[in-house]
Amino acid sequence: MTPLLRIAAFAAMASCGALAQQDIAGDWNGTLKTPGGDLRLVLHISKDSTGAYKATLDSVDQGANGIPVTTVSLKDSKLKLEIESVNGAYEGKVNGDATFVEGEWTQGDHSLPLSFERAKAEKASVKPSDIDGAWLGTLEFNGMKLRLVFNFRNTPDGLTATADSPDQGAKG
């Protein structure tokens, strides 16, 4: 084999190896642009003890966190997700360095473009505070009830909080 052919063969094998080692575990951010407005999504992908991918999806603007992803598959840089609980599916192409996925979200009979970008790592790991999480309460006044959700999260910059009013459609 000539030196040029050896180099070409080595380059081909190296590129195949890079695709085989593509790792999509981590958090991914995307925004689904719907006729009713933008919906921020966070996809959490991890591996189980066998090395198979598993995932959950957060719909930030709808206050829906931990939506189970029924099926996660990655083959030839093609990511496929099925989310049975919302009759949804996603199919996208992962870029070479596994930092971006461009694809399409399908729910029922509707399809929309959706891209995910790998989330940036936080500055430092911070221990959750005693109140981290979503706290649900009901405000009662003059016979009326209004649900409120307070979301607390400890960050490297300190404790952050947002409030949602599901009954009024207010988020964040």
Side-chain angles (χ1 to χ4, degrees), residues 67-89:
I67 301 166
V69 177
T70 315
T71 305
V72 180
S73 68
L74 177 67
K75 184 175 181 178
D76 300 327
S77 298
K78 192 175 287 186
L79 174 64
K80 291 184 180 182
L81 308 172
E82 290 182 33
I83 304 96
E84 289 180 0
S85 63
V86 297
N87 192 27

Side-chain angles (χ1 to χ4, degrees), residues 98-116:
T99 58
F100 191 78
V101 185
E102 186 172 355
E104 190 167 288
W105 169 260
T106 304
Q107 191 167 12
D109 296 333
H110 305 289
S111 295
L112 295 169
L114 173 61
S115 297
F116 284 101

Side-chain angles (χ1 to χ4, degrees), residues 4-72:
L4 185 56
L5 285 176
R6 276 188 230 147
I7 292 171
F10 177 75
M13 288 187 301
S15 67
C16 289
L19 288 177
Q21 295 176 11
Q22 198 172 39
D23 187 7
I24 58 167
D27 295 330
W28 297 81
N29 297 318
T31 301
L32 187 62
K33 298 193 178 296
T34 73
D38 292 354
L39 294 176
R40 291 173 295 157
L41 302 174
V42 181
L43 178 63
H44 306 281
I45 302 176
S46 60
K47 289 185 178 179
D48 66 16
S49 60
T50 68
Y53 288 111
K54 61 181 183 175
T56 61
L57 182 70
D58 299 341
S59 181
V60 177
D61 298 306
Q62 294 176 315
N65 297 318
I67 301 166
V69 177
T70 315
T71 305
V72 180

